[in-house]
Amino acid sequence: MTPLGWAAIALVAPAAPAAEAPSLAAWHGSWAGEGEAFGKPATATLDIAPGEGGATTLIYRLSIAGTPRVAYSAEARYVFDTKGRVRGKWTDSTGRTRAVAGGVNAAKWWAHWGSADVEIGRSTYVLEAEGKLVVSDSILQDDGSWRAFAMLRYTRTNR
């Protein structure tokens, strides 16, 4: 082979491994949680599962202690767009439907929801060691800060 041939071979870099497609699979399963919502003790369940067309579905049930006892539920569907961002729709027991946009990295999944004319919120789903999941929900304040209104710690009840 000529010296030019060797040079051409040396300039060809090995192909980079394909980037793994983003996924919410690490969060799939049934979860039971305890914590606080709106300043009161609360319990909740999350059922997160694969859905049609590569989507992830989430079913949420929240119970807040007190008189009267508050029950809230929601269903959501999440997909990834071509840039790897989370997109979805959240519909709750009050009749509201909210658009969702967010992302995922390693052990954290976040979602921004709502609109400026009503409220803008943020939910984070952080996987911790030993099969724990911490979910926190916050509302954007007029001064640009976030005010947490719920935080629950979940344990996986099955996969």
Side-chain angles (χ1 to χ4, degrees):
M1 185 171 288
T2 67
L4 183 55
W6 283 110
I9 290 172
L11 294 177
V12 176
E20 190 173 316
S23 170
L24 297 175
W27 287 265
H28 290 177
S30 294
W31 301 85
E34 295 182 345
E36 191 173 283
F38 302 100
K40 297 181 179 179
T43 59
T45 60
L46 282 171
D47 288 305
I48 306 170
E52 290 184 32
T56 290
T57 60
L58 178 147
I59 298 172
Y60 176 59
R61 306 249 185 276
L62 173 69
S63 180
I64 302 171
T67 304
R69 187 169 200 83
V70 175
Y72 172 86
S73 62
E75 293 187 22
R77 182 176 187 273
Y78 301 97
V79 296
F80 285 92
D81 67 16
T82 58
K83 294 185 178 183
R85 296 173 296 203
V86 175
R87 300 285 186 222
K89 184 170 69 168
W90 174 279
T91 302
D92 69 22
S93 55
T94 69
R96 285 191 181 153
T97 297
R98 296 175 175 93
V100 177
V104 64
N105 65 23
K108 184 177 181 180
W109 161 24
W110 64 94
H112 290 127
W113 41 266
S115 60
D117 60 330
V118 179
E119 66 185 0
I120 296 175
R122 173 179 69 191
S123 298
T124 59
Y125 304 79
V126 179
L127 292 169
E128 294 186 334
E130 301 173 16
K132 301 291 183 188
L133 170 63
V134 176
V135 179
S136 94
D137 298 299
S138 304
I139 292 290
L140 183 62
Q141 302 298 290
D142 290 339
D143 66 2
S145 65
W146 292 94
R147 180 182 52 82
F149 65 87
M151 180 173 290
L152 288 96
R153 181 174 301 277
Y154 293 82
T155 302
R156 192 184 301 269
T157 57
N158 77 349
R159 189 130 172 106

